Amino acid sequence: MNSVPEGSAAAGPGRADPGASASVTPFPGVDASAPASGPGFRSESVPGAVPESAPRAVGGAGSGSPGPPAGAGPGTGQVKTSLEILRSLDSGPRGLVEARAEERLARFGENVLPAWRPVPWPRRFVRSLRDPFTSVLLCLGLVSAVVSAWGTACVILALVAVSCLLRSAEEHRADRSTADLRDLVATTATVVRRASPDAVPLEREVPVADLVPGDVIRLGPGDLVPADVQVLRAGGLTVHQSALTGESAPVAKHPLDTPDPSLAAAGPFAQPQLCFQGSSVTSGSGTAVIVATGGATRFAAAHDGRARQRGASAFDRSVQGISWTLIRFMLLTPPLVLMANAALRGRGLETLPFAVAVAVGLTPEMLPVIVTTALARGAARLARTSGVIVKRLPALHDLGAVDVLCLDKTGTLTEDRPVVAAAVDGADRPDPEVLRWAALSALWTLQLAELPAPDALDEAVLDAAEEGEAWGACAGYEGVAALPFDPVRRVATAVVRRPGRLGVHTLVTKGAVEAVLERCVLDGDERERLLALADRKAESGLRLLAVARADRPARPGAYTPADERGLNFVGLVALRDVPAPSAAEALGVLARRGVTVKVLTGDHPGTAARACADLGLGLRTGTGTGAGSGADPGAGSGAEPGTDAGVGSGADTGRTIPYGDVVTAELVDTLSDAELARVADRATVFARCTPEHKARIVSALRAAGHTTGFLGDGVNDLPALHAADVGICPRNAVDVAREAADVVLAEKDLTAVDRAVLAGRHSSGNIATYLRITLSSNLGNVIAMLTAGLMLPFLPMLPAQVLVQNLCFDAAQLAFAFDRPAASALRRPAVLRSRDFLRFITGFGLLNAAADLATFGVLALALHNAAGDGEAAFHAGWFTENLLTQALVMVLLRTGRSAAERRAGGPLRAAAAGLAVTGVLLPLTPVGPLLGMSALPPLYYLLLGSVLGLYAVGLTAARRRYERRHPAGDESGRGLRKADAER
C-alpha cells in the first residue's frame, strides 16, 4: 500500500529530508550498545561533566570538544534527569550567557566533525609515490644510479618528481574547492542565549560550528540534530536516527523529569531523552541541551576511521594489472640480455648498463606525467565549465569507466515535489470536494502548527487547490485547532469552523489510507473494498492520501488524537511524481554511452516502476512466478502489475529465483551475494531499499565485474557512496556525504553526470591511446635491439643514444595529454584492461620489430662499401629509423578514427612531425658525433623511405583488421557525436 511516507510531515525548505524511511547497519567499528564512556570521550568539559579518558575532538584549531556528561550516556550506572543534566553542565532552561558560550568555544573548539585535516604538501607528495607506475619508475631510476647510468637516472627521477607535483597540486586544488563548498552551505541552529545573567533569553540563529556544551537549542520538523543533546521539553517529538542505529521508523523522544532505573541498562539509542548528531527531526518540536559536540559525539565516532575505507577502484585495478604486466617484462629483460650476450658474445657485466637501458626503453616513462596531466586537465575543465569538483584525480578515470550508475529516484529522475493526479470518492469517481477537504486540512494544519513545516504532499495539495475551484470554497473556513502529523498515527487533523454552522466544529483528517480507514465508520466489506481500490492505484504508481471528516459540537477544550474516531470517509487524493525536465534525454544519452542506470529507492515498487516507464527506461511488462527462493512467490516484482518477473538461477545453489526488472528489498534479503549479483545485473529498479540494501547491491554489481557509480546526497547514502567505484553527490548534499564522495556536482542532475562521464572518457581515451602506442613501439624496439645485439659484434645502440632517443620520444608523448580522443572512445566505458593491451602491443610490437629488423638489412646494404666509421653510421641509422617509426605510430595508431579525424591537425601531429625532424637532423648536427653517430649516405635515406612506406601500409592494414575484430561503437554513436559537437 502506497500512502503517506512515515516521515512525510517533515522537511521544509532548506532542511534535511527526514522522509527517508530507511535503515542501515551501524557504521563500522561502532557498537550500538556500547557505553558512551570509556575510549572516545574525555572529562575536560564543563564542571563535573565527563570521564577522564575521552580524547579531544578535532575542531577548527585542533582543540577538543567535550564528551557527554556523567550519566548522560549509558553504561555510567546512572541516567540523569533534565534538572540534573543542566546542573552538571552549569546551564539552565534560559540558556548560556554569551560570554560563557564564547569561553567554552575557545576551550573546547568548534562543533565540527573530525574531518580530514588538510594534508601538508610533503605528505601529499610522498603519498603520490604509491602509484604503481611511479613506483616502477622510481625503482628503475635507482637501479640506473646503481649501475652509474647517471643520465638515465636523472631523467627518470625528474619525471617522477614532475608527476608527483602535478598530482599533488591538482588534489590540493580539489580539497580547497571542497572546503569552499562547506562554507557556502554552512548550517545554523536556533539557540537560546542571554547577553548577561539578568537579561531576557533570546532565540537566534548561530552557525552549528559555534555551539558548545550547555547551549539550549530549539528543534523543529526537518531540523538536523546539530550535536548530542538531552531533551528538556518536547511536543510530539520524533527523530530519524537510522544512520546510527538501523531503525527504519522514527523514534519518539521526550524529557526525563523523574529518575528511571530501567534506562540504566539500556543502550544509548534506546534512551528516549537523548538525541544524537546525524539524526533528523521527523515531527513535533522540542527544546534540548547540548551534552557533547565535535569529535565527542556518537556520530563523529561512527564516521571516523574505517567508515571512510573503500576497496580498490576501477582505476587502481586497471593500473595494477598493466603495471604487473610491465614489471614482468622488465624483470625478465635484463637477465635475458646479460645471459644472451655472455653465451653468444662472451660479454660480461659491461653490458649491464645496456640491459638497464633496454628495460627503461620498455617502460612508458611518461605514463605518470601523462596520466596526471590528462586527468588534471579534465578535472579543471569540468570545474570551469560545469562546476563539477573532482576530489580524487583517479575518480575521473573511474567516471569514464562507469558502466552502471546507481541512483535514487527522487530529485534525480523526478522532481522533489509531486503533483495531484486525481481526487476521487469512494466509488472512484472524480469529486472536487475531496480535494477541497484535503486542502483545508493541509492549510490549517500548517497555519496552526507551532513550527510550520509543510511536506511535499501538503504543498502539492495546496497548489492543486489554488489552480482549481477548491481554493475559493476554502476561504470562509476558520481554523480552530490542529493535530500535526506524526509517524505513529500517520494522519494529520485540522479542526475548522464552517461558514453558517455556529456551534459545530468539523474535524478533517488526511493521511495514510489504512490509518484513515481505521478511524472511519465502515463495515468490514466496505473497508476491504476501499483498501483494494487503494491497492490498485498504488500499484499503478500513484501516491495516495485518504481524507475523512466528522462534525462535532463546538467546545473550548483542546482536541487530542482520541477525537479522531467515528469519521466519515470522503475520498482519495492521488499524487504522482513529475519527471525531471532533463531526465529522459539524459537517460537516453547515458544508455547510448553504454551506461546502465539502476534505480535504488525506498519507494513503493509501483511508484518507482511508473516513474521509470514515464522516462523511457523500458521496463518489461507481464508477470511470472518462480520457486525455491524462500520468499513470496510474488516477491521481487511478481506481485506488482506492470513488471516482469523473470526466472534466474542462483549461481551458488542452482535454485530458481523469481525476479524481474523491479525487485523489492524482501527478495534481496533472501539472496546470497552470488545470487544478488545475477539479479542485480538484470533488474532495473530496486524498491523498498534501506541504505544497507543499497550498499549491498552496489557491492554485488562491482563483484560481477561492473564499474559502478553511485549518486547520493544524504547521510544514509554513506555506505553506498563508499561501496561504489566512484561516489557522486551534489553540492547541496549533507556535509558527510560531500566528504565521502569522490565527485561533487554543481546540482543533482543527470546531465551533469553525463558531462562528468564524458570528461572521464576524454581523459581515459588519451591515456589508453598513449599506452597502446607507446608500449607497442617500445616492445618492438626492445625486440629489435635484443636481436641486433646478438647478431652484431657491437651494441646496436649506446646507452647515451638510448637515453636521448627516449627523451625525444618522451617530449613528443606529452601531446597525448592534450589530444582530442576519437568519437568512438566516448561511446563506451573506457576501461584499461591489461589483457586487451597485451594483445594490442604484442601484435603491433612484432610489426614494429619487423620494420626495425628490415632497417638492419638496409643499413647492412647501404653501409657495405661506405667509408668511415661503420659503427657510428649504424648507430645513426638506427637512431633515425627508430624516431621516424615512432612518429608514424603516433599518427597511424590512433584507433577508431574516421578519415576526417585522422587528417585533422592538432598537438599530436605537430609533436610527431617534430620527432621525425629531430630523428633526421640530429645525427647531422654537432651533437651527433658527441653521441657516437655520424652522417649517413644518401642511399640509406632512399632505402629507409621504402621501408617506412611498407611499414605504414602494414600498420594501416593491421589497424583496420583490429578495428573490425574490436568494433569501437555502434550506430547510436552518430547521435552522440552530434550532441557532443553541440557541447
Side-chain angles (χ1 to χ4, degrees):
M1 176 71 64
N2 184 33
S3 55
V4 183
E6 290 180 341
S8 66
R15 299 181 183 271
D17 178 12
S21 175
S23 64
V24 63
T25 301
F27 287 100
V30 178
D31 182 0
S33 63
S37 59
F41 298 101
R42 71 182 190 89
S43 62
E44 186 184 352
S45 176
V46 289
V50 208
E52 188 66 39
S53 57
R56 299 177 64 85
V58 180
S63 57
S65 289
T76 60
Q78 179 186 7
V79 177
K80 292 190 174 183
T81 64
S82 299
L83 182 58
E84 291 170 337
I85 202 71
L86 286 171
R87 286 176 177 170
S88 68
L89 289 166
D90 195 16
S91 182
R94 302 170 69 230
L96 293 176
V97 176
E98 290 286 357
R100 178 65 62 85
E102 292 176 3
E103 175 189 341
R104 293 187 180 184
L105 182 63
R107 181 182 178 190
F108 304 125
E110 294 184 332
N111 176 36
V112 295
L113 281 176
W116 299 283
R117 300 177 181 178
V119 180
W121 265 97
R123 182 179 175 188
R124 194 186 296 275
F125 184 89
V126 172
R127 193 170 61 184
S128 301
L129 296 174
R130 294 183 300 181
D131 177 82
F133 281 128
T134 305
S135 301
V136 169
L137 278 183
L138 187 60
C139 292
L140 282 176
L142 296 176
V143 171
S144 300
V146 169
V147 299
S148 299
W150 299 109
T152 301
C154 291
V155 170
I156 290 177
L157 294 178
L159 291 175
V160 169
V162 169
S163 171
C164 292
L165 284 173
L166 287 173
R167 183 165 182 172
S168 301
E170 183 58 30
E171 291 186 350
H172 177 69
R173 183 199 65 79
D175 284 350
R176 292 190 61 181
S177 299
T178 305
D180 292 341
L181 278 182
R182 285 197 295 267
D183 295 338
L184 287 175
V185 292
T187 310
T188 62
T190 304
V191 66
V192 178
R193 285 183 182 170
R194 296 168 288 158
S196 64
D198 298 328
V200 176
L202 299 176
E203 294 183 5
R204 65 185 183 91
E205 294 291 316
V206 301
V208 165
D210 293 344
L211 297 176
V212 297
D215 262 332
V216 175
I217 62 171
R218 308 291 194 203
L219 297 174
D223 283 343
L224 289 174
V225 178
D228 288 356
V229 302
Q230 179 157 338
V231 177
L232 303 177
R233 187 170 68 251
L237 181 65
T238 61
V239 299
H240 265 302
Q241 53 188 32
S242 57
L244 294 170
T245 67
E247 294 177 274
S248 59
V251 179
K253 297 293 182 178
H254 57 77
L256 184 65
D257 295 326
T258 58
D260 186 353
S262 65
L263 294 177
F269 304 110
Q271 298 194 23
Q273 80 280 12
L274 297 179
C275 298
F276 299 93
Q277 185 182 40
S279 55
S280 58
V281 179
T282 303
S283 63
S285 59
T287 301
V289 61
I290 294 178
V291 298
T293 59
T297 62
R298 283 273 170 179
F299 186 75
H303 179 61
D304 192 28
R306 286 172 288 175
R308 294 196 299 266
Q309 296 178 4
R310 68 172 3 136
S313 67
F315 180 81
D316 298 329
R317 296 192 297 270
S318 299
V319 167
Q320 287 170 4
I322 297 173
S323 296
W324 280 110
T325 301
L326 289 177
I327 289 171
R328 293 185 186 100
F329 274 112
M330 288 185 294
L331 291 178
L332 189 62
T333 299
L336 284 178
V337 173
L338 292 174
M339 289 187 295
N341 278 278
L344 300 179
R345 293 293 179 182
R347 298 167 184 161
L349 290 179
E350 66 271 14
T351 59
L352 181 59
F354 174 71
V356 173
V358 171
V360 172
L362 181 63
T363 308
E365 301 99 325
M366 290 296 292
L367 182 60
V369 177
I370 297 294
V371 168
T372 304
T373 304
L375 295 178
R377 289 188 73 246
R381 189 187 307 113
L382 266 180
R384 184 176 62 253
T385 61
S386 304
V388 176
I389 298 174
V390 180
K391 296 171 53 184
R392 184 177 58 88
L393 275 186
L396 188 60
H397 165 271
D398 295 340
L399 274 172
V402 162
D403 60 344
V404 174
L405 177 64
C406 299
L407 46 83
D408 194 3
K409 174 181 64 66
T410 305
T412 306
L413 301 181
T414 62
E415 294 183 346
D416 288 330
R417 293 179 58 181
V419 297
V420 173
V424 298
D425 60 16
D428 200 16
R429 295 186 300 262
D431 187 352
E433 286 293 298
V434 177
L435 182 59
R436 178 169 69 91
W437 288 113
L440 276 170
S441 177
L443 174 64
W444 289 110
T445 302
L446 172 64
Q447 294 287 340
L448 299 175
E450 180 180 352
L451 293 173
D455 70 350
L457 301 182
D458 283 342
E459 292 177 350
V461 168
L462 293 173
D463 288 344
E466 288 181 3
E467 294 172 2
E469 301 176 356
W471 189 253
C474 297
Y477 289 81
E478 180 183 351
V480 175
L483 299 174
F485 178 92
D486 72 60
V488 178
R489 292 164 41 242
R490 296 197 297 162
V491 297
T493 297
V495 182
V496 298
R497 184 179 295 112
R498 300 168 67 181
R501 298 290 302 274
L502 296 177
V504 177
H505 287 171
T506 301
L507 278 68
V508 187
T509 299
K510 65 171 176 56
V513 176
E514 303 94 326
V516 171
L517 292 180
E518 288 174 358
R519 290 162 170 80
C520 291
V521 181
L522 297 170
D523 59 35
D525 293 341
E526 180 66 7
R527 181 176 286 104
E528 290 300 321
R529 186 188 68 80
L530 292 173
L531 287 172
L533 172 64
D535 281 336
R536 291 194 299 271
K537 290 187 174 295
E539 289 167 359
S540 66
L542 296 174
R543 303 187 184 192
L544 298 175
L545 286 171
V547 184
R549 67 180 182 88
D551 291 336
R552 302 288 165 80
R555 72 185 194 202
Y559 284 86
T560 68
D563 295 307
E564 298 170 335
R565 293 291 183 267
L567 307 178
N568 299 314
F569 182 75
V570 176
L572 299 172
V573 177
L575 304 99
R576 61 178 176 83
D577 291 319
V578 179
S582 61
E585 180 182 358
L587 285 173
V589 172
L590 287 172
R592 292 194 295 274
R593 292 199 197 283
V595 178
T596 302
V597 173
K598 307 282 185 184
V599 180
L600 280 54
T601 179
D603 278 345
H604 187 281
T607 303
R610 176 168 181 151
C612 293
D614 290 344
L615 291 168
L617 275 180
L619 302 182
R620 288 180 289 274
T621 59
T623 59
T625 59
S629 70
D632 254 350
S637 80
E640 306 298 339
T643 62
D644 173 36
V647 176
S649 173
D652 56 349
T653 63
R655 63 194 177 117
T656 301
I657 304 168
Y659 66 90
D661 285 342
V662 181
V663 174
T664 58
E666 288 80 3
L667 177 60
V668 172
D669 288 335
T670 69
L671 302 177
S672 67
D673 291 342
E675 292 169 339
L676 179 58
R678 290 178 58 87
V679 172
D681 195 48
R682 180 176 183 267
T684 301
V685 177
F686 292 84
R688 301 294 196 199
C689 286
T690 67
E692 184 182 19
H693 290 124
K694 293 180 182 181
R696 188 171 173 229
I697 292 165
V698 170
S699 298
L701 288 167
R702 290 187 66 190
H706 294 286
T707 302
T708 307
F710 182 83
L711 174 59
D713 59 2
V715 174
N716 288 340
D717 291 323
L718 281 176
L721 286 170
H722 286 296
D725 285 291
V726 54
I728 312 168
C729 78
R731 66 186 301 172
N732 60 351
V734 298
D735 288 348
V736 290
R738 285 201 310 273
E739 295 290 350
D742 302 302
V743 177
V744 180
L745 306 177
E747 55 189 4
K748 193 175 182 181
D749 182 16
L750 282 182
T751 304
V753 176
D754 176 60
R755 288 194 292 267
V757 168
L758 190 66
R761 293 186 183 180
H762 189 288
S763 298
S764 298
N766 286 343
I767 295 170
T769 301
Y770 163 79
L771 278 172
R772 291 192 184 97
I773 292 175
T774 303
L775 290 178
S776 59
S777 179
N778 288 358
L779 180 63
N781 289 340
V782 167
I783 293 174
M785 289 177 67
L786 291 177
T787 305
L790 298 178
M791 298 173 63
L792 295 173
F794 53 85
L795 294 177
M797 290 188 75
L798 298 178
Q801 295 166 356
V802 175
L803 175 61
V804 173
Q805 174 185 280
N806 288 341
L807 281 175
C808 294
F809 196 24
D810 290 345
Q813 287 168 338
L814 273 175
F816 283 108
F818 302 89
D819 189 28
R820 183 171 183 173
S824 59
L826 307 179
R827 281 183 229 148
R828 65 179 188 271
V831 182
L832 306 177
R833 295 188 176 92
S834 57
R835 289 186 179 181
D836 294 343
F837 278 102
L838 190 59
R839 286 195 296 266
F840 186 96
I841 65 176
T842 301
F844 287 94
L846 291 175
L847 185 61
N848 183 275
D852 288 347
L853 293 176
T855 303
F856 177 78
V858 168
L859 284 168
L861 180 63
L863 301 177
H864 181 64
N865 296 319
D869 188 354
E871 183 176 338
F874 185 93
H875 290 158
W878 200 305
F879 179 88
T880 298
E881 185 270 344
N882 275 339
L883 292 189
L884 289 176
T885 54
Q886 287 173 340
L888 272 177
V889 168
M890 288 176 66
V891 174
L892 297 179
L893 279 194
R894 297 164 73 201
T895 60
R897 295 176 179 272
S898 65
E901 287 177 309
R902 285 192 293 272
R903 287 195 299 269
L908 199 61
R909 291 177 63 87
L915 186 65
V917 171
T918 302
V920 173
L921 297 182
L922 185 63
L924 305 178
T925 66
V927 179
L930 296 177
L931 295 175
M933 295 185 290
S934 62
L936 292 162
L939 177 62
Y940 169 75
Y941 293 105
L942 292 175
L943 295 176
L944 179 60
S946 301
V947 171
L948 293 177
L950 293 174
Y951 179 51
V953 172
L955 270 181
T956 304
R959 178 181 55 77
R960 289 176 177 172
R961 182 173 182 271
Y962 178 85
E963 290 174 356
R964 285 196 300 270
R965 297 184 62 181
H966 304 85
D970 52 21
E971 294 300 316
S972 65
R974 297 176 180 174
L976 284 174
R977 286 195 295 271
K978 181 178 179 181
D980 295 338
E982 292 174 352
R983 294 184 182 182

